[in-house]
Amino acid sequence: MKTISIKSFAKTGKFGEIGIGTLKKDVIKLLGTDYDFGDCGETQIIKYGWYEFFFWSDTEKLFAIQNDHLQANCENHNEMILYKNDLFEIDIWFLKVNQDYTYSQVIQLLKKEDIDYKIEPGSEIEPEIIRFKSGVYLDFSEGSFGWNSETNESYNDTIKNKEDYLLNGIRLFDFKKE
């Protein structure tokens, strides 16, 4: 069984042996046939747990990899970040089940591990991101949103201080069609 490291993905842009441009059939050969599938017309998505692989429908080439469910604001957070099948398992690096990480905590970790990154400005609707040399980036949320099963109510806790924004996703996108 292979172990795919989130840390290595961040540093190299490779999800194990898989990188941008890999054919869908090769992703399936490497990661297995037990996946969720979505056909969105021009694009297709294969999902192993909550790790998503996006392909152009016409070429079946991979153009994006992401997990945008890193926040611990749900009862099934373990399903959101952990994944294992007969062929591979995920090494989740610093992540822990049911634990959020703030922007400042992630910056401290990257400095401690001496991992190169740059800060890119956000937009009106999204906070700034942390981008690695590989092109992989981490994005953050200005709040925690979810459903409280005990009260059967949704919640929306908006965060004011950028340093306290919560890690939301790890992504690699390359929309160029070859």
Side-chain angles (χ1 to χ4, degrees), residues 1-4 14-19 22-35 46-49 51-53 55 62 65 83-90:
M1 174 180 299
K2 296 177 192 165
T3 299
I4 296 177
K14 294 280 201 171
F15 195 85
E17 299 172 44
I18 298 165
T22 302
L23 295 175
K24 182 171 74 172
K25 67 180 178 116
D26 294 328
V27 170
I28 293 168
K29 184 188 293 183
L30 291 165
L31 301 184
T33 58
D34 187 18
Y35 55 81
I46 290 178
K47 195 166 85 168
Y48 294 89
Y51 294 87
E52 300 170 306
F53 300 81
F55 301 88
L62 182 70
I65 302 169
Y83 185 80
K84 179 180 181 179
N85 67 19
D86 292 338
L87 297 177
F88 79 102
E89 65 184 341
I90 302 287

Side-chain angles (χ1 to χ4, degrees), residues 5 10 26 70 98 115 122 126 142 152:
S5 162
D26 294 328
L70 302 183
N98 296 324
I115 296 175
E126 290 194 1
E142 296 171 318
N152 282 331

Side-chain angles (χ1 to χ4, degrees), residues 29-87:
K29 184 188 293 183
L30 291 165
L31 301 184
T33 58
D34 187 18
Y35 55 81
D36 292 328
F37 178 77
D39 188 341
C40 306
E42 185 179 6
T43 63
Q44 299 175 350
I45 303 169
I46 290 178
K47 195 166 85 168
Y48 294 89
W50 290 91
Y51 294 87
E52 300 170 306
F53 300 81
F54 297 80
F55 301 88
W56 297 113
S57 294
D58 57 354
T59 64
E60 295 196 334
K61 286 186 179 180
L62 182 70
F63 71 87
I65 302 169
Q66 77 171 6
N67 184 333
D68 61 349
H69 293 84
L70 302 183
Q71 276 185 263
N73 62 349
C74 56
E75 292 178 2
N76 62 336
H77 188 243
N78 61 324
E79 294 172 23
M80 302 286 188
I81 64 172
L82 300 173
Y83 185 80
K84 179 180 181 179
N85 67 19
D86 292 338
L87 297 177

